[in-house]
Amino acid sequence: MSEKLNYTQAFEELQTIVSEIEQGEISVDELSEKVKRAAQLIKICKLKLTTTEEDVNKILKELGTASTDDDE
Amino acid sequence: MLAVVLGYSATSNKQIKTEQTMPETVNDKRVFSLLEVTKSIQKTLDDRYKSSFWVKAEMNKLNFYKHSGHCYPELIEKKDGKVIAQIKSYLWKSDFNRVNNNFQQILKEPLKDGIKILFQAKISFDPSHGMALWIMDIDPSYTLGDLEREKQETIQQLIDEGIYNKNKTLRLPLLPQRIAIISVETSKGYADFLKVIETNSWNYKFFHLLFPSILQGDKAVQGITGQLKRIRKVKNHFDVVAIIRGGGGDVGLSCYNNYHLAKEIALFPVPVITGIGHATNETVSEMISFSNAITPTKLAEYLLQKFHNFSVPVQEAEKKVIDKSRRLLSEENTKFQSEVKLFRSVTENILITNRNEVKSVISSLLQYAQFIFKNQNDYLRTAKSDIVKETNSLFINAKQEIKNFSITILKDTHSKLNHYQLIVSQLIDKLYSQSGLKFKSILLELNNIEKNIANMSPTNVLKRGYSITLLDGKAVKTIEQIKSGDLINTTVFEGNIISIVNSTNKKTDQ
């Protein structure tokens, strides 16, 4: 998955696919593609739930410069 | 009963020395039991405070006990935000019910924590429970206490500035995953909070960073606003700020009603959530924060709930996608199956029709063929019998001809045979007569030849006087064969002469 989706986009796209499927707007021909895409989105969403990318050191570094500003 | 009264300020040392009757003496010191002391205090207080009086104080907590119905209010007095007086009190069930009714009638509010009250009380001292104020009545008209007034003022000010709902109207990210925590590292509330978010059984992952601050008392306002300002600098790294307190008493929470702190929270660009950890008496900071939970644990559960709100629809979506896809496929399959079924029945019908046609053709073909066979058979049979008849008549004719022919042959042969037999017998007769004549002439000739031969035999010669001389068994034909002295054998008729030769004489001419 090379594309950079944030979880909100992933979540919304997933909901769209679900409602399309629920309302029977998807033909059998498209189904495979849609299900594949849904699986990708579900994977992205689940991954978001169980991982974070924040770096404490980076924040502390930014805070270091910030606190100097604060003191002035 | 002790009759002793221990005097502190009211009585002199001298008086104690003279009036005490039963003190123990240990190591030259006079010693009282705790009960003696407390009884003495009780006596003194009873003597000193004989009537009830009216008091104003803040009722920090009501401490209503549901089971007994009694209340044990926590009474304080503050100056410049600091507690300068504090005492326990009790409010019996019957008094409480009466006072509470009054409050509800007059204030439209029940008796509750954090209000300033004016009450009628008596000093009460019990050796086993210590000192307390017995509240006999509360004047509901003397309502809002200092704490509550400050609170109301802060609220009003925030409303006036139009920022009361500012933090509440921010948008919390779908997954509030990155948390800036303002708390004390060693506090129980912080530990409770971390325990819930870090050991959740769904493996939800949070990122959190602690910004330590004092959380109660006067210094909390400065500490918390200072950390909020720091977080503001790195706000892009965080989804939510959590102010977490817990494990301390409920005194000192008035700082959360402070205008400056409340304003900082209201204007904060990131949602601020609070878990201050007390049973009642919601502070302004909690009221204006994005979300407030009663305890740090509840606050952590609130965040987990946000994750659920995201996760559950994802799971449902997963389930729906699977279910609906399956159903869609199964419906298509059913349609397809029924098409197949229809197709099969149609084709089967066609097959049956055609098969029947073929069958009828076959049977008529068979009938016709049998008919033809029968005809041919009959024809062949007649032909066969005709042939047999014809052949038989031919045979009979041929036989007759052969018979006739053989009879003719026989007749001819007989006549020829008779003819040749006659000839042969004539020839035999002729042969016989001819051969007899010949035989008689040959026999006569033979007899003559026999007579000649008999005349010429040696015997007959000898008879006529001839002899035969033999030397050494051989006939002597010439005189040269004989010499004098030879023994010779001379054969004559009917005998032999043996003689020795005296001399020989050869004839000269002859």
Side-chain angles (χ1 to χ4, degrees), chain B residues 291-303:
Chain B
S291 179
N292 176 43
I294 295 166
T295 63
T297 304
K298 294 275 182 204
L299 189 66
E301 285 166 358
Y302 165 81
L303 291 176

Side-chain angles (χ1 to χ4, degrees), chain B residues 314-360:
Chain B
V314 168
Q315 282 169 5
E316 277 170 4
E318 189 174 9
K319 197 169 168 287
K320 276 181 191 166
V321 167
I322 292 170
D323 288 352
K324 295 288 173 183
S325 309
R326 281 206 182 122
R327 190 177 305 165
L328 190 58
L329 286 177
S330 109
E331 280 168 7
E332 288 297 324
N333 200 20
T334 312
K335 266 191 228 166
F336 179 66
Q337 290 296 345
S338 72
E339 287 296 327
V340 167
K341 215 171 162 184
L342 185 66
F343 177 72
R344 185 179 292 157
S345 81
V346 169
T347 47
E348 269 174 2
N349 279 343
I350 292 172
L351 279 177
I352 287 169
T353 314
N354 284 335
R355 191 179 293 147
N356 287 341
E357 274 176 30
V358 170
K359 262 184 195 164
S360 75

